[in-house]
Amino acid sequence: MNDPERNAIARYPAPDPSSWPDDIRDRIVAVQEKSGFVPNVFLLLARRPDEFRAFFAYHDALMEKPGGLTKAEREMIVVATSGANHCQYCVVAHGGILRVRAKNPLVADQVAINHRKADITDRQKAMLDFALAVTTRSHEIGAEDLDRLKAHGFTDEDAWDITAVSAFFGLSNRLANVTDLRPNREFFDLGR
């Protein structure tokens, strides 16, 4: 089926690359050189340069920093919460990244559907329980939720990181859902 509307990256058109500011062009070229393709989220957000810069600055601050969570665990949070938010783009894109970072071709599908039955550690299940609480009932989170994290060795800083990743991707999920952002085909094969 060759339907031009279904082959579009999103409901909104990507801007012409000649209109990209230099810093955004440099970032997109660097991503393309590293991964071999340009994730559609970069193309979609390039239409709003200030939002592009802010989005990726916060993304990188959350996802690339050292701390008590591994990069694979951060991706698990994205996949689990994006599954709860029914965000196809983020489940597929970050599922591919999770498979690569965890060196496990099965984990992303398991975490996206039901992390409680996934082949992950009890510590990671507790982390994802908390992340999903942030996603679905943040107004109810109390000391007992944080105590459950601490019982699995998480610090207060780790709880902040789990919360921040969950919240940031709540924003990302909503943008992707409303804009009908389509996952790149390349993401489906990553880490398989």
Side-chain angles (χ1 to χ4, degrees):
M1 177 170 155
N2 192 12
D3 179 356
E5 284 190 27
R6 290 316 297 160
N7 292 331
I9 68 160
R11 179 170 284 120
Y12 293 84
D16 184 313
S18 67
S19 71
W20 296 343
D22 290 341
D23 63 316
I24 291 174
R25 180 179 297 102
D26 292 346
R27 174 80 188 250
I28 291 173
V29 167
V31 167
Q32 184 175 26
E33 288 173 354
K34 181 178 179 181
S35 66
F37 66 99
V38 179
N40 288 339
V41 68
F42 284 82
L43 299 175
L44 178 67
L45 288 175
R47 64 191 320 275
R48 293 188 167 210
D50 290 341
E51 291 172 36
F52 178 106
R53 292 179 189 104
F55 181 93
F56 287 110
Y58 197 41
H59 172 278
D60 294 351
L62 293 172
M63 301 300 287
E64 302 298 328
K65 72 179 194 165
L69 305 178
T70 68
K71 288 183 179 183
E73 288 171 336
R74 292 169 196 272
E75 294 297 339
M76 279 182 198
I77 294 167
V78 177
V79 172
T81 59
S82 296
N85 287 325
H86 308 285
C87 182
Q88 182 186 65
Y89 182 87
C90 291
V91 167
V92 172
H94 289 274
I97 297 167
L98 172 56
R99 288 189 298 273
V100 169
R101 291 202 166 156
K103 297 177 178 59
N104 180 338
L106 306 177
V107 69
D109 297 330
Q110 294 174 348
V111 166
I113 300 301
N114 183 351
H115 75 279
R116 303 294 305 151
K117 299 199 182 283
D119 295 323
I120 58 177
T121 67
D122 287 342
R123 179 180 184 275
Q124 291 166 334
K125 288 176 184 175
M127 173 189 74
L128 295 179
D129 285 343
F130 185 77
L132 287 166
V134 170
T135 300
T136 62
R137 58 173 192 86
S138 62
H139 62 285
E140 295 176 357
I141 290 178
E144 64 279 359
D145 297 288
L146 295 166
D147 289 344
R148 276 192 287 281
L149 278 181
K150 287 179 183 176
H152 287 278
F154 290 101
T155 67
D156 288 337
E157 294 305 311
D158 296 333
W160 181 292
D161 289 341
I162 295 165
T163 301
V165 171
S166 301
F168 176 77
F169 279 93
L171 171 144
S172 179
N173 296 161
R174 284 154 180 79
L175 279 172
N177 281 337
V178 172
T179 63
D180 194 24
L181 184 60
R182 310 292 298 164
N184 301 67
R185 293 188 62 82
E186 293 88 346
F187 282 123
F188 289 91
D189 295 328
L190 281 180
R192 297 215 192 256

